[in-house]
Amino acid sequence: MKKFLLSLVLISTSSIPTHAAVVRASLEFVEGTPAVSLTLNGKPTQFILDTGASLQLSLPKTLADKVDRLKPGPDQRTFDLRGVVQESPGFTIADFRLSGINFGSVSGNYLSPSGISVSGPEKFNDRIPVLGLTLFENKAVLIDFSGRQFVLADSVGEILPRGSAGWRALPTERTKQGLIALFKGGRKQYRMALDTGGNMSVVKADVVHAEEEKGTCPMQINGQASCQYIEMAAAEVDSITPILVGLPAAFQADGVAGRDFFEKIRLIYDGATGKVYLQDAAENSKTP
């Protein structure tokens, strides 16, 4: 799990099962990171929603010990944007359920602090469980930052009815860093990971075209008095301004499209097909 400026505390959200196959939950933010409340083992449980996480599920050990049908599994290897590789004990859960939705058998690891801070001291929280994108491979989810809602369903048809207006497909590539989409800068295209867990967008400084127009920002990064950014856009969405940073070579994408991107859109991920659909955030008063 990789994060920017993560300082997480418990929040109050609610999930409302509309019927057996659809769950709607309020979505709120802690230090720029989205969190939802879903029912686990009959109790409301808060989860971080992290589409950049490589695992299906990460649980604090105190919570994992209370989960039904959890068994020890192989150790899990993860790395963050600092390039730090971590190995932690893994587990499997048979017949895993959240708010009445059955995910079948899932795997994950015991949660440990990880992430990256591009300014200021690093603060991480290893008490809040994390849902990764791969958990939803056979489900469908709607993520709506501006409308502050999260919808989980067994199939995309229950979220996106046939003929729904204003939605368009976003071509993506599935990698270890999650969903990668092409963003067009002034001089070249950049492969950006769509990461709900990043509270800002960043791009590798060493992949930015030399003739790309750059702006200056006042944020301090790595001891520098200021930072630089470029503009880029994808799928007719208003441009974002990722900050130039150093990222490890193991991170295959050119950068991360974070909260500033997600605030401009509503996103539906169809885990059964791997397709992604976008709608402008201005449409958030409409169905679904």
Side-chain angles (χ1 to χ4, degrees), residues 239-283:
S239 63
I240 60 174
T241 53
I243 294 173
L244 277 62
V245 298
L247 296 176
F251 187 72
Q252 298 171 356
D254 292 331
V256 170
R259 180 172 178 174
D260 51 338
F261 175 70
F262 283 91
E263 287 282 7
K264 301 175 187 294
I265 61 163
R266 305 170 82 201
L267 180 145
I268 289 176
Y269 174 61
D270 180 2
T273 64
K275 293 182 179 180
V276 174
Y277 303 93
L278 300 183
Q279 184 186 61
D280 293 336
E283 300 287 330

Side-chain angles (χ1 to χ4, degrees), residues 10-279:
L10 291 177
I11 62 174
S12 175
T13 58
S14 63
S15 62
I16 306 172
T18 55
H19 56 79
V22 179
V23 173
R24 299 180 185 274
S26 61
L27 186 152
E28 298 187 16
F29 295 88
V30 179
E31 295 296 328
T33 305
V36 297
S37 180
L38 301 169
T39 302
L40 176 65
N41 278 6
K43 297 182 179 180
T45 304
Q46 290 155 336
F47 292 88
I48 295 301
L49 180 63
D50 183 9
T51 59
S54 59
L55 301 178
Q56 290 181 299
L57 184 67
S58 294
L59 299 176
K61 183 136 188 345
T62 53
L63 176 61
D65 289 342
K66 302 174 184 177
V67 174
D68 296 336
R69 295 177 293 279
L70 183 146
K71 295 182 178 180
D75 289 351
Q76 302 284 351
R77 288 171 60 87
T78 60
F79 81 94
D80 60 27
L81 292 185
R82 298 168 296 177
V84 175
V85 177
Q86 292 188 332
E87 207 168 272
S88 57
F91 56 75
T92 60
I93 305 173
D95 195 32
F96 180 67
R97 295 173 184 266
L98 285 176
S99 295
I101 298 219
N102 190 343
F103 291 84
S105 178
V106 303
S107 61
N109 73 328
Y110 294 105
L111 190 60
S112 59
S114 64
I116 181 173
S117 174
V118 296
S119 70
E122 298 179 7
K123 296 180 180 179
F124 308 108
N125 190 307
D126 60 353
R127 299 189 304 273
I128 304 179
V130 178
L131 305 178
L133 183 72
T134 54
L135 179 67
F136 307 116
E137 283 187 347
N138 293 309
K139 305 296 179 184
V141 292
L142 180 147
I143 301 170
D144 181 3
F145 276 28
S146 65
R148 302 301 191 260
Q149 68 169 325
F150 171 77
V151 183
L152 168 63
D154 279 328
S155 67
V156 72
E158 293 167 288
I159 297 179
L160 184 63
R162 188 179 297 276
S164 297
W167 291 91
R168 56 193 181 274
L170 173 67
T172 57
E173 171 191 356
R174 186 76 175 86
T175 74
K176 291 181 179 179
Q177 275 80 52
L179 296 170
I180 307 295
L182 287 178
F183 282 65
K184 183 173 176 56
R187 293 292 182 175
K188 63 177 280 190
Q189 290 187 322
Y190 299 90
R191 299 174 64 254
M192 302 289 285
L194 307 182
D195 188 356
T196 54
N199 67 9
M200 65 178 67
S201 296
V202 298
V203 63
K204 289 180 178 179
D206 58 1
V207 305
V208 172
H209 195 283
E211 297 180 7
E212 203 77 71
E213 184 175 350
K214 302 178 182 69
T216 301
C217 44
M219 183 181 299
Q220 292 187 5
I221 298 178
N222 296 328
Q224 301 297 317
S226 63
C227 59
Q228 289 185 309
Y229 66 86
I230 62 173
E231 288 193 21
M232 60 176 69
E236 302 176 9
V237 178
D238 289 343
S239 63
I240 60 174
T241 53
I243 294 173
L244 277 62
V245 298
L247 296 176
F251 187 72
Q252 298 171 356
D254 292 331
V256 170
R259 180 172 178 174
D260 51 338
F261 175 70
F262 283 91
E263 287 282 7
K264 301 175 187 294
I265 61 163
R266 305 170 82 201
L267 180 145
I268 289 176
Y269 174 61
D270 180 2
T273 64
K275 293 182 179 180
V276 174
Y277 303 93
L278 300 183
Q279 184 186 61

